Amino acid sequence: MTQAPPLGAEERRMTDDEIIGSIGKYEFGWHDSDDYSKGVPYGIDESVVRHISDVKGEPQWMRERRLKALELFDRKPMPAWGPDLSGVDFDAFKYYVRPTDRQVNDWEDLPEEIRDTYDRLGIPEAEKARLVSGVAAQYESEVVYQQIQEDLERQGVIFTDTDTGLREHPEIFEEYFGKCVPAGDNKFSALNTAAWSGGSFVYVPKGVHVNIPLQAYFRINTQAMGQFERTLIIADEGSYVHYVEGCTAPIYDENSLHSGVIEIFVKKDARVRYTTIQNWSTNVLNLVTQRAMVDEGGTMEWVDGNMGAAITMKYPACFLMGAHARGETLSIGFAGPGQQQDTGAKMVHMAPHTSSSIVSKSVSRGGGRTSYRGLVQVNARARHSKSNVLCDALLVDKVSRTDTYPYVDVRTDDVEMGHEATVSKVSADQLFYLMSRGLAENEAMATIVRGFVEPIAKELPMEYALELNRLIELQMEGSVG
């Protein structure tokens, strides 16, 4: 894996204070004109849901699914066990904003302002350098650009936006949509099912290995926008795919809402890696449901980076349905001033000889708060299963906070289970030791933080998560991790 070179020693000395202070800060806050959103109503009701379905020309079963989900959304309470969401006003968001009237497969055909946005984020360069097997770019509520390499198309790989997936592959779509994350699962899955638009639809045929990642990029541009992408991935028997998504948004006075749903189906002996680089601005509420169903011998890997948003609630889940299925989650969270990262993972063992691993690391500074909230459930049939959880949190100062909320439910005796959680502070002894070796104080601080997150940082595909390439050079490789 090619990674950006570390900063030189002299450059590091000049920038350590800035680097340490940059954790939780944001550099993608610029925005384009959003004249196309004028006149779009706020709030969600039956007329808004019907409008979305009408614009997309959806089949009757999907319209009915949306309307039923809207009823569930209205009835379901807000979660009361995590961050305080009592101030969220669902009538304060725009639920469907269409920035352009068509999707294109050539960057030059995009409207100039949208093209300039993606140029500044570097996405076309990844495609030109063949760093990705396919690229999808979602702007507001719609995927505006989609492309896949021809050799993958010849092998039967489908990589398109979810709306096109519904229209062109209705039998596959109807079989899997909502099977992993039903509308009634929680309030935000109900909201997504009612208002979903865009996202990625991926199908990898039996035995096909997509060796270079597929990438999707999500950008919110409009103030008080709600983005509700729906991603559906099916990896057939013996196949492999790595899917990477990145996210940014401008900084506004009003909050925006991101509430995506990701459903992944890992068939027998298949493997899927899903990497998320959530780098929303601090006016975004990031409330996401991610879940995979893993069949016999399959492997699901979540690599989860949470660097932004005012509040994040995200718990990637694996339901290990077949014998010898495996689930892994590697996650890292940065919380700066005014941020709350409530993240974790769920591993549900439904079959014998299944295994799971959760590694969660977090860094808090400037009054930021991180939380690990996880579930490991081993059902009665899941004999000879193994699970291990490791949670490490680092507090950079005395005003930040971290919490761990593990939940372990084991219903059979023949299980290997491990759980370890540590919270550490950057101590005077650590600083003194490194300073005695010739490092300045801020260099020593940066070295401690960088070493703490290195096991996760090395797993992040920085050359693909383009909106974080510049940020991670500073926060992870530039002495802070």
Side-chain angles (χ1 to χ4, degrees):
M1 180 180 296
T2 303
Q3 296 188 354
L7 296 172
E10 184 170 344
E11 186 176 359
R12 184 176 296 125
R13 284 196 297 273
M14 292 188 295
T15 60
D16 273 344
D17 285 332
E18 179 182 352
I19 290 167
I20 293 170
S22 73
I23 297 176
K25 290 188 177 180
Y26 189 68
E27 60 178 34
F28 301 102
W30 38 266
H31 61 92
D32 303 323
S33 168
D34 61 350
D35 289 342
Y36 50 80
S37 71
K38 292 180 178 178
V40 174
Y42 290 85
I44 186 168
D45 56 21
E46 184 175 330
S47 66
V48 171
V49 172
R50 288 184 179 276
H51 172 70
I52 295 171
S53 190
D54 288 343
V55 168
K56 297 177 180 297
E58 293 178 339
Q60 184 63 25
W61 71 265
M62 179 56 76
R63 181 195 300 266
E64 292 173 356
R65 188 82 66 93
R66 286 182 183 274
L67 293 172
K68 183 177 180 181
L70 179 63
E71 295 177 2
L72 290 170
F73 167 70
D74 289 335
R75 294 203 305 265
K76 280 191 169 291
M78 294 286 264
W81 38 261
D84 182 12
L85 300 176
S86 60
V88 177
D89 179 5
F90 290 101
D91 289 329
F93 303 110
K94 298 179 179 182
Y95 284 79
Y96 181 70
V97 176
R98 193 176 187 182
T100 182
D101 61 355
R102 63 192 176 97
Q103 184 185 124
V104 301
N105 56 17
D106 188 322
W107 285 105
E108 298 307 315
D109 292 335
L110 283 171
E112 183 178 358
E113 285 193 335
I114 296 177
R115 187 173 67 246
D116 288 346
T117 291
Y118 289 124
D119 284 341
R120 292 176 70 179
L121 294 165
I123 291 175
E125 298 307 315
E127 189 174 10
K128 292 173 187 174
R130 297 182 69 83
L131 293 175
V132 288
S133 293
V135 175
Q138 179 156 336
Y139 196 89
E140 314 294 31
S141 299
E142 294 287 358
V143 173
V144 295
Y145 175 83
Q146 184 84 46
Q147 188 62 273
I148 183 173
Q149 291 184 7
E150 292 180 1
D151 60 327
L152 293 177
E153 282 190 304
R154 288 194 294 268
Q155 295 179 72
V157 176
I158 300 169
F159 176 45
T160 188
D161 64 282
T162 313
D163 300 280
T164 301
L166 171 60
R167 184 171 60 253
E168 297 184 356
H169 308 280
E171 294 181 0
I172 300 176
F173 197 97
E174 188 170 3
E175 178 183 356
Y176 290 100
F177 183 88
K179 182 179 179 182
C180 193
V181 182
D185 186 81
N186 60 76
K187 190 174 184 70
F188 295 100
S189 66
L191 178 60
N192 177 280
T193 305
W196 75 269
S197 183
S200 295
F201 177 76
V202 178
Y203 172 77
V204 184
K206 290 182 181 180
V208 174
H209 283 221
V210 182
N211 292 316
I212 302 176
L214 304 172
Q215 178 173 295
Y217 193 89
F218 298 91
R219 174 78 176 176
I220 293 175
N221 184 64
T222 295
Q223 186 166 219
M225 169 71 189
Q227 191 175 76
F228 307 98
E229 82 278 1
R230 186 86 179 210
T231 291
L232 179 58
I233 299 175
I234 303 107
D236 217 328
E237 293 184 15
S239 65
Y240 169 74
V241 66
H242 182 187
Y243 177 94
V244 182
E245 71 168 24
C247 315
T248 64
I251 299 172
Y252 287 115
D253 293 332
E254 297 179 56
N255 286 338
S256 291
L257 173 63
H258 174 250
S259 186
V261 167
I262 294 92
E263 298 183 282
I264 301 178
F265 297 85
V266 185
K267 298 298 185 178
K268 181 179 178 180
D269 297 326
R271 179 183 164 209
V272 175
R273 171 171 279 208
Y274 191 104
T275 298
T276 307
I277 308 297
Q278 301 274 7
N279 191 31
W280 297 114
S281 54
T282 53
N283 58 291
V284 173
L285 304 175
N286 185 35
L287 312 169
V288 179
T289 304
Q290 299 181 188
R291 190 172 300 161
M293 296 180 69
V294 189
D295 289 347
E296 179 184 352
T299 299
M300 178 67 212
E301 301 167 343
W302 299 100
V303 180
D304 199 41
N306 297 291
M307 315 287 179
I311 294 175
T312 293
M313 296 176 70
K314 183 148 64 73
Y315 320 97
C318 295
F319 280 66
L320 306 174
M321 309 300 294
H324 300 282
R326 178 165 180 78
E328 298 181 7
T329 298
L330 298 171
S331 68
I332 183 170
F334 288 91
Q339 290 182 286
Q340 188 168 354
Q341 301 283 2
D342 197 272
T343 60
K346 299 179 182 179
M347 297 292 176
V348 181
H349 295 249
M350 301 293 292
H353 300 283
T354 50
S355 60
S356 65
S357 172
I358 300 171
V359 178
S360 173
K361 286 181 174 282
S362 63
V363 179
S364 307
R365 67 164 296 275
R369 179 176 178 181
T370 59
S371 301
Y372 167 80
R373 197 179 301 273
L375 165 70
V376 176
Q377 184 179 89
V378 184
N379 289 284
R381 295 176 53 208
R383 299 176 303 279
H384 310 292
S385 292
K386 301 178 181 180
S387 182
N388 189 63
V389 180
L390 174 63
C391 302
D392 289 336
L394 181 66
L395 299 175
V396 174
D397 51 42
K398 296 180 179 180
V399 297
S400 302
R401 175 175 171 177
T402 187
D403 303 277
T404 302
Y405 304 101
Y407 187 92
V408 179
D409 180 4
V410 179
R411 305 182 184 185
T412 183
D413 293 334
D414 195 1
V415 171
E416 293 183 26
M417 175 69 63
H419 181 96
E420 179 181 350
T422 64
V423 178
S424 57
K425 295 181 180 179
V426 179
S427 71
D429 288 344
Q430 290 173 313
L431 290 173
F432 175 78
Y433 175 82
L434 292 173
M435 291 170 66
S436 72
R437 296 300 187 268
L439 297 181
E441 182 177 359
N442 47 358
E443 284 183 304
M445 172 78 78
T447 299
I448 292 168
V449 179
R450 184 183 63 216
F452 175 77
V453 302
E454 188 270 340
I456 302 274
K458 68 182 182 182
E459 296 294 332
L460 294 176
M462 290 182 287
E463 63 269 52
Y464 307 122
L466 296 171
E467 85 286 2
L468 274 186
N469 276 349
R470 305 169 184 89
L471 191 64
I472 291 173
E473 284 176 17
L474 294 177
Q475 290 191 341
M476 290 187 176
E477 298 199 74
S479 299
V480 245

